[in-house]
Amino acid sequence: MSDLDRGDAAMPHDADRSALQCEWLATACRGHDVLDLGCGDGRVASVLAPIAESYVALDNDGEAIRRCQERAPDATMIEGDLRDPQLDSCYDYVLCLGNTFSLLWDVEEAVASLVRWRQLLTENGVVVIDDLADDLWPELAEGR
């Protein structure tokens, strides 16, 4: 079991916070193209994939992808590296949830990942992160 799986297994949020997060995401992402980076076991994909225009779930762990596919059969599954997804499509929402972003502990690597994710957005697209290390705020505030 990977570190990412252990995080999902322990739920990155308590059940109430997870439900609130999924409720907000369902409202925001309904009918949109969504990329879920570090999808884990499909906690979010199971809610959003049925209501999104398209839903792509990416994780570097094949077992996590398998579990996510079971929970979100409407999603397209990709085994890959969230730091540099090898995708050609653009998305309205790029999600990096459940403390997954904190796995990118090197600031330069995290900033490079954010730059890459920005390239995957439609013109009015949004990156949604629910955990951001304090030392990355200056980079984010400067628009990088």
Side-chain angles (χ1 to χ4, degrees), residues 101-102 104-105 131-138:
F101 193 73
S102 66
L104 306 178
W105 55 269
D131 186 30
L132 187 65
D134 286 340
D135 55 354
L136 286 175
W137 276 111

Side-chain angles (χ1 to χ4, degrees), residues 56-82:
V56 175
L58 180 144
D59 203 291
N60 68 346
D61 184 314
E63 180 60 23
I65 291 290
R66 185 193 63 73
R67 288 196 322 270
C68 185
Q69 185 73 77
E70 288 175 359
R71 292 180 73 176
D74 298 325
T76 299
M77 301 295 157
I78 297 176
E79 189 169 343
D81 188 341
L82 69 90

Side-chain angles (χ1 to χ4, degrees), residues 31-103:
H32 290 283
D33 297 315
V34 179
L35 172 61
D36 183 352
L37 298 172
C39 65
D41 70 359
R43 174 181 70 89
V44 174
S46 64
V47 174
L48 298 185
I51 62 171
E53 178 67 24
S54 69
Y55 197 94
V56 175
L58 180 144
D59 203 291
N60 68 346
D61 184 314
E63 180 60 23
I65 291 290
R66 185 193 63 73
R67 288 196 322 270
C68 185
Q69 185 73 77
E70 288 175 359
R71 292 180 73 176
D74 298 325
T76 299
M77 301 295 157
I78 297 176
E79 189 169 343
D81 188 341
L82 69 90
R83 295 170 295 185
D84 185 19
Q86 298 300 303
L87 302 168
D88 295 325
S89 299
C90 288
Y91 303 87
D92 302 308
Y93 287 89
V94 172
L95 312 178
C96 186
L97 305 172
N99 306 321
T100 302
F101 193 73
S102 66
L103 297 173

